[in-house]
Amino acid sequence: MTPSLPSPIEGQEADAAKLTAIEHAIRDALGAIRPGSADLPGDADLMQEADLDSVGVMDLIMEIEDRLDISIPVETLADARTVNGLRSGIYRLDGGAA
């Protein structure tokens, strides 16, 4: 018996669920290191609006790594100026196209 491939809709639902899980991890981590910042808009500049300096960004990344049990390469941080950018960068680490 040949295994069936997931339908495109199933694939889209899995991608959406993965993106949602990543965003929740980012927002939980952001709330842990900067209480009150977890609800920032997705396009808000993390350095300015969450008042993160380079150490704060590294703290955020370590929190996210712990929550998702992943390693985030330094190159991903270059695109991580916003929640949306960070979410997309982490998603691409797992082969996603967001």
Side-chain angles (χ1 to χ4, degrees):
M1 178 175 207
T2 304
S4 62
L5 296 172
S7 74
I9 292 174
E10 290 172 334
Q12 290 173 357
E13 290 174 354
D15 288 343
K18 191 179 294 184
L19 285 166
T20 299
I22 292 169
E23 185 165 342
H24 281 286
I26 293 168
R27 292 188 179 284
D28 288 347
L30 190 56
I33 65 166
R34 288 289 189 271
S37 296
D39 294 332
L40 287 174
D43 61 349
D45 187 301
L46 292 172
M47 302 278 285
Q48 292 179 355
E49 297 193 40
D51 195 27
L52 295 178
D53 57 13
S54 59
V55 174
V57 170
M58 291 308 298
D59 289 344
L60 176 63
I61 295 302
M62 288 190 298
E63 282 285 332
I64 295 167
E65 288 178 333
D66 288 345
R67 292 168 193 275
L68 295 175
D69 195 26
I70 62 171
S71 178
I72 301 173
V74 173
E75 301 83 45
T76 302
L77 299 179
D79 297 330
R81 298 200 57 83
T82 65
V83 170
N84 292 344
L86 186 54
R87 181 187 65 184
S88 294
I90 293 170
Y91 182 70
R92 283 191 299 267
L93 293 174
D94 195 30

